[in-house]
């Protein structure tokens, strides 16, 4: 007997996992991204990847990790977070914005990651009525995953 396929899209399936009380917080959209850590490790070695895609503050944080794998995991998690934010903001259009317009920072007191938008990314969020972007990410073995939620009420 064949297993019946779930007719939902991946986005619908993920959305079904979001607690209902979170949805009640005026979530405008969500974004999800998965990133291969080994690919990011290779990109780091080329020298320009970090400079082109991360802010100085992000680079300082990631470079504090001495083991090369941990450094790559930090970069990969942040890159996945940036991609998730881009998707939650509706993707990149012709005017676009830079990955550096999206900063993935670490709270000083709690260590909880948060998103700071600048430039065209900030303008896009404002035009959509987004007041706050919630982010969560994790990395294990060779994968980093991130999920972003755009809230319309701060």
């Amino acid at each position: 007997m064949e297993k019946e396929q779930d007719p939902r899209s991946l986005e619908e399936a993920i959305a079904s996992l979001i607690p209902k009380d979170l949805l009640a917080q005026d979530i405008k959209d969500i974004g999800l991204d998965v990133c291969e850590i080994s690919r990011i490790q290779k990109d780091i070695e080329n020298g320009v990847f970090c400079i082109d895609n991360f802010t100085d503050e992000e680079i300082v944080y990631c470079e504090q990790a001495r083991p090369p794998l941990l450094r790559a995991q930090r970069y990969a998690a942040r890159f996945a977070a940036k991609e998730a934010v881009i998707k939650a903001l509706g993707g990149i259009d012709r005017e676009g914005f830079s990955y550096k317009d999206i900063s993935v920072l670490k709270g000083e007191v709690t260590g909880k990651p948060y998103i700071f938008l600048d430039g065209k990314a900030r303008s896009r969020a404002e035009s959509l009525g987004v007041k706050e972007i919630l982010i969560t990410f994790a990395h294990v073995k060779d994968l980093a995953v991130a999920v972003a939620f755009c809230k319309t009420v701060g």
Side-chain angles (χ1 to χ4, degrees):
M1 183 162 48
E2 275 188 51
K3 184 178 178 185
E4 185 176 325
Q5 294 292 323
D6 188 342
R8 298 179 296 177
S9 69
L10 178 59
E11 188 171 282
E12 290 170 330
I14 292 167
S16 73
L17 300 174
I18 300 169
K20 300 300 179 226
D21 60 328
L22 182 61
L23 290 176
Q25 294 185 29
D26 294 316
I27 300 296
K28 177 158 184 68
D29 214 337
I30 63 171
L32 168 77
D33 193 68
V34 178
C35 186
E36 289 181 84
I37 295 168
S38 59
R39 190 193 93 210
I40 297 297
Q41 177 79 49
K42 290 175 188 169
D43 290 341
I44 291 168
E45 293 166 4
N46 83 21
V48 296
F49 175 77
C50 295
I51 294 166
D52 287 348
N53 296 291
F54 298 95
T55 63
D56 292 342
E57 191 172 352
E58 290 170 310
I59 292 171
V60 166
Y61 175 74
C62 292
E63 290 295 324
Q64 288 173 349
R66 292 293 173 226
L69 177 60
L70 179 56
R71 185 172 25 249
Q73 288 173 330
R74 285 183 176 185
Y75 278 117
R78 278 152 186 78
F79 192 77
K82 289 172 185 260
E83 286 282 343
V85 168
I86 288 168
K87 291 170 182 173
L89 291 174
I92 296 179
D93 59 18
R94 288 182 184 193
E95 295 175 21
F97 44 84
S98 165
Y99 283 104
K100 286 182 155 184
D101 287 346
I102 303 166
S103 296
V104 183
L105 303 172
K106 183 177 176 183
E108 290 183 28
V109 176
T110 64
K112 180 181 174 182
Y114 67 95
I115 298 295
F116 177 79
L117 299 178
D118 202 11
K120 291 181 180 179
R122 172 177 262 175
S123 297
R124 168 75 65 81
E126 289 171 353
S127 74
L128 295 171
V130 173
K131 304 292 184 200
E132 181 182 11
I133 298 177
L134 305 175
I135 191 73
T136 186
F137 54 83
H139 45 78
V140 62
K141 294 186 181 180
D142 194 44
L143 293 176
V145 63
V147 180
F149 300 90
C150 289
K151 287 179 63 175
T152 54
V153 176

